[in-house]
Amino acid sequence: MLLPIRPLDYELSAPGDLPAGEGSRAARVLVRWHGVPLSVMQVPVVGGKVRAGDVGYRVMARLQARIGREMARRALLGDGVTAPPEVRDHGPDPQPSAALPTISVAVCTRDRPDDMAKCLASLAALRVAPLEVIVVDNAPATDATERLVKEHFPQFRYVREETPGLDHARNRAIAEARGEIIAYTDDDVMVDPGWVDALARVFGEDPAVGLVTGLIEPAELETEAQALFERYGGFGRGCFRSYLQSLPGAPMPWNLVGAGQLGAGANMAIRRSLFDEIGWFDPALDVGTPTLGGGDHEIFFRCVRSGMLCLYEPTAVVRHRHRRTMQELSKLLYSYGHATRCFFEREAAEFPPDRPGIRKLIRWWWRHWAWERWKRSLWAPSWFPRQLVTREIKGYLDGIGGYRRARVKIVADESKRPDTFKIPPADGKQELCRTGLVVVDIAEPLRVLHEGLAKDSLEVLVQWRGKPLGRITLRSLGKAVVPSRLADEISRVLWWDVVTLGSADPAIAWSRQLAQLQDVIHPARPEDAGAEDAAGVSVIVATCDRPEDLRRCLTSLFALETSRRLQVIVVDNRPGLPGIREVLRDFPQVELVEEHRPGSSYARNAGIAAAREEIVVMTDDDMVVSPGWLEQLVKPLERADVAAVSGHTLPASLESEAEVEFEAYGGFGRGYQVREFDEYWFHRWKRRAVPTWQLGGTGNLAFRRSLSADPRVGPFEECLGAGVPAGVGEDTLWFYRILRAGHVVVYEPAAVAWHHHRVTREGLRRQLLAYSKGHVAYHLVTLMKFGDKRALVRILFELPQSMFSRAWDRLRGRSRYPWRLLAIEAYGMLAGPWSLWQSMRHVRKHGPGARPAGHSPDPA
């Protein structure tokens, strides 16, 4: 796993490099445009900083549609769209004309003064101060929090709640608050400077909004537990605004019952008056009770059920400090499963009409949440530890009856319950599916659609100066639709039509917008460090009694255009023969390492053990490199997150039939586009084996020497590779380990090397036989060492299907690939398991190969 990762904010309207710290491997960047979050992306750290160009490249590659939607939304909020919006004219949202509601901020805490100090410091730095900040100290064991508030933050109000329980503290905040809105956050949270402003704006724009939640980003990603929590789902709900609303008093549909889709209680705000109708927080759904939590999601459910509009607003940003240890994460996931079951029990008991929807949501939880995650952890254990998935499922099963026990223990007297829902059920007379047609001309300022007060939904025909642009459907459910929501919905569906308004050729108009965006987000960057600052390189060439090939390879290496410090190592994997030493007399700079144990992996590991430089580069004796090869190959390693780089390998000649047939087989080239492979790519393959053979090979490879000392990566697997019965596969397994450990591998096509293929049919036959055996052996190793059951899919299904398909194409004349080569590949696949067993005996006989000083044991 690639750690540590530095969370950062990046503003597109003021681009520039961001300091990320020398220890950071990558950055989790929240990209904003005039304060509006567009996306969260992982960006490399180069020289201790995040470069503006790296952010801009990813913005242009991934966020064009998102930027178009934001341009359209902002244009629709103005005084009417009179012309197509321009990137250069894009700015912050207009200031609200009406007075904003008052906000009381409540922070509930218990004996965490260090975290509390950071939280209160962020609240003191808000751009728009709330009416008040209330610190609710819940049954504290010491007076540390009280002293912190009174001595360092006297502008905030300290309240002590003696009854233990988070929901008791939240209810005390309701009783103490004077503002129209009560905004809740936690003591392990740091709020964004614009947090209160964003919440107040949303409530001020729409009186129908009863609940607002916001984006919760991690404050740090330094430990495996913190990164795994984000991989599991985290607290964030993305950068798109979303609305939830139900028909008051009517049974809740199943997709609204799970109100956790709105976010979490660390970032929520509720109208003070709404509590009078839906009740206060339920103290029986609380940490420290038999339910282990769930009070925030339960209040979300009642807010949605009230018929008030509930909104997820990503501009209201906070950062949460996740649990740092695996033990804490395991306990947290257990409590999540437990509280989920108790939440279902509570709502089924309190709202009998909602039971069909609750039962459907329970089925969804088992099938799409629990079962799918458990299966994925079974097939690919490296994605997420199975024991953590199991802990959540166990918590769910243990939660049966938990709410009833908590109710008896916490509030046995029903007349004293603070969470009574006071909105009466539906009387059955509501007329549903009433639809009205509304025409909106965006050349005029958007108006409030009061037609929604009497309608279940609205069909909105959007036009510009009488020209229809499209139609959208809005669920109004008896509420007026305010301009901000209308702008959201139009821009979500019709952003292209709004941005390219009136253009004779919309594609050209959008291209001009993108050109403007390029100018905005790509500022000039200082030149890279000179060659005197460049890292040294150890070049390893493994050879096995091919002196003339070695001479040709070394000649090309010493013609490289580089001023880096070079250590050239030749590893002789068949020492004692005179040819190699004769060649090396002409290259006195070369260091010779003799490896008597047969096998290319033994040879490569011996070369790594002898390497002294920070970067290690590998090539083979049958390769010839281009003059600029080395600099192109090692350049991506400037990034802190990149651990290895493979280059583009082309045929040195295509004069013999065997050479042509090898290229028809697939050759060594991997295309002409730069590609990045990371842990997200690695985990994308849920039921299929990870195709690490797409990354390249060891004949054209650069990597950090520190990988050999990383216990998650380690040396090359010595039971795989040329020279042992299993044949090849050591490079694909090594790539597998690199990606599994969370590192990044880059394929750089500009790093060109030329390979001299086998020129005889017999040589090609042996080569393809080794490739087929090695491919199967590689998958068996991933199954045995890492429990990756996707290997079985590849061996038992994909490979036979591929062979059958290729044979069928040959029969029908669609392919000219020789039958003899297909037969060799099929035989090699069948021989793979036996060959791997022989290779494992070979390694037991010869023992482990050379290892660098201080090397950790090989990963299991």
Side-chain angles (χ1 to χ4, degrees), residues 214-217 229-230 233-237 263-264 266 312 320 322 332 336:
L215 175 61
I216 304 177
E217 275 289 289
F229 181 71
E230 278 299 315
F235 288 128
R237 296 298 180 263
Y312 171 72
H320 180 267
H322 300 336
L332 180 70
Y336 281 0

Side-chain angles (χ1 to χ4, degrees), residues 158-171:
Y158 175 85
V159 175
R160 188 183 182 103
E161 171 55 54
E162 295 296 350
T163 306
L166 176 58
D167 285 334
H168 283 295
R170 287 168 171 164
N171 287 339

Side-chain angles (χ1 to χ4, degrees), residues 332-351:
L332 180 70
L333 294 181
Y334 178 88
S335 68
Y336 281 0
H338 198 282
T340 298
R341 173 67 194 192
C342 294
F343 164 77
F344 289 150
E345 284 188 354
R346 194 248 185 222
E347 308 309 354
E350 296 294 321
F351 302 101

Side-chain angles (χ1 to χ4, degrees), residues 651-724:
S653 69
L654 290 174
E655 297 179 358
S656 69
E657 187 174 352
E659 291 173 318
V660 174
E661 288 177 347
F662 182 72
E663 283 298 307
Y665 170 78
F668 291 121
R670 295 297 180 265
Y672 296 85
Q673 301 295 322
V674 177
R675 298 181 66 191
E676 288 189 17
F677 306 88
D678 56 17
E679 61 177 329
Y680 301 103
W681 180 85
F682 180 84
H683 293 298
R684 189 181 76 187
W685 310 91
K686 297 180 181 179
R687 301 288 185 272
R688 300 177 57 190
V690 183
T692 51
W693 50 90
Q694 296 180 5
L695 276 66
T698 46
N700 192 350
L701 180 68
F703 58 92
R704 301 184 190 278
R705 185 163 59 94
S706 58
L707 284 179
S708 61
D710 186 340
R712 300 168 299 174
V713 181
F716 286 92
E717 183 65 54
E718 285 147 347
C719 67
L720 300 176
V724 298

Side-chain angles (χ1 to χ4, degrees), residues 764-785:
L764 177 63
R765 186 193 70 80
R766 291 196 300 268
Q767 186 179 17
L768 296 190
L769 179 62
Y771 284 0
S772 297
K773 292 190 299 181
H775 187 72
V776 172
Y778 151 71
H779 288 294
L780 290 174
V781 172
T782 65
L783 175 64
M784 293 185 296
K785 281 207 167 192

Side-chain angles (χ1 to χ4, degrees), residues 524-713:
R525 188 166 64 89
E527 292 296 324
D528 294 334
E532 66 275 5
D533 299 324
V537 175
S538 295
V539 182
I540 300 173
V541 184
T543 188
C544 187
D545 192 25
R546 293 195 290 200
E548 294 308 315
D549 285 346
L550 178 62
R551 182 184 301 275
R552 184 174 54 204
C553 177
L554 292 177
T555 300
S556 69
L557 285 175
F558 284 101
L560 287 169
E561 297 173 351
T562 183
S563 56
R564 292 176 184 269
R565 185 176 59 256
L566 288 183
Q567 176 196 17
V568 180
I569 302 170
V570 170
V571 184
D572 188 357
N573 199 212
R574 193 174 292 176
L577 300 178
I580 300 302
R581 289 186 176 272
E582 290 177 4
V583 169
L584 295 185
R585 290 195 187 101
D586 297 332
F587 300 94
Q589 311 96 314
V590 174
E591 300 177 20
L592 176 63
V593 174
E594 295 184 342
E595 175 53 73
H596 294 266
R597 287 161 290 202
S600 59
S601 290
Y602 277 114
R604 292 189 173 105
N605 288 335
I608 296 172
R612 296 187 298 270
E613 302 296 345
E614 175 187 346
I615 297 174
V616 176
V617 169
M618 285 186 175
T619 189
D620 292 337
D621 55 6
D622 54 2
M623 302 279 284
V624 174
V625 300
S626 59
W629 166 76
L630 184 66
E631 290 301 322
Q632 294 291 346
L633 189 64
V634 303
K635 185 175 178 59
L637 291 171
E638 294 176 354
R639 291 170 39 180
D641 60 333
V642 174
V645 184
S646 63
H648 195 182
T649 302
L650 294 172
S653 69
L654 290 174
E655 297 179 358
S656 69
E657 187 174 352
E659 291 173 318
V660 174
E661 288 177 347
F662 182 72
E663 283 298 307
Y665 170 78
F668 291 121
R670 295 297 180 265
Y672 296 85
Q673 301 295 322
V674 177
R675 298 181 66 191
E676 288 189 17
F677 306 88
D678 56 17
E679 61 177 329
Y680 301 103
W681 180 85
F682 180 84
H683 293 298
R684 189 181 76 187
W685 310 91
K686 297 180 181 179
R687 301 288 185 272
R688 300 177 57 190
V690 183
T692 51
W693 50 90
Q694 296 180 5
L695 276 66
T698 46
N700 192 350
L701 180 68
F703 58 92
R704 301 184 190 278
R705 185 163 59 94
S706 58
L707 284 179
S708 61
D710 186 340
R712 300 168 299 174
V713 181

Side-chain angles (χ1 to χ4, degrees), residues 104-108 132-136 170 173 182-186 195:
S104 295
V105 174
V107 188
C108 303
E132 58 184 347
V133 174
I134 305 171
V135 177
V136 184
R170 287 168 171 164
I182 305 176
Y184 289 93
T185 192
D186 293 341
W195 179 59

Side-chain angles (χ1 to χ4, degrees), residues 146-182:
E146 182 177 7
R147 286 189 287 106
L148 170 70
V149 175
K150 293 182 178 179
E151 293 175 9
H152 298 282
F153 301 96
Q155 69 273 37
F156 300 154
R157 183 149 59 100
Y158 175 85
V159 175
R160 188 183 182 103
E161 171 55 54
E162 295 296 350
T163 306
L166 176 58
D167 285 334
H168 283 295
R170 287 168 171 164
N171 287 339
R172 180 63 182 272
I174 299 173
E176 296 284 343
R178 300 191 299 266
E180 300 169 69
I181 311 298
I182 305 176

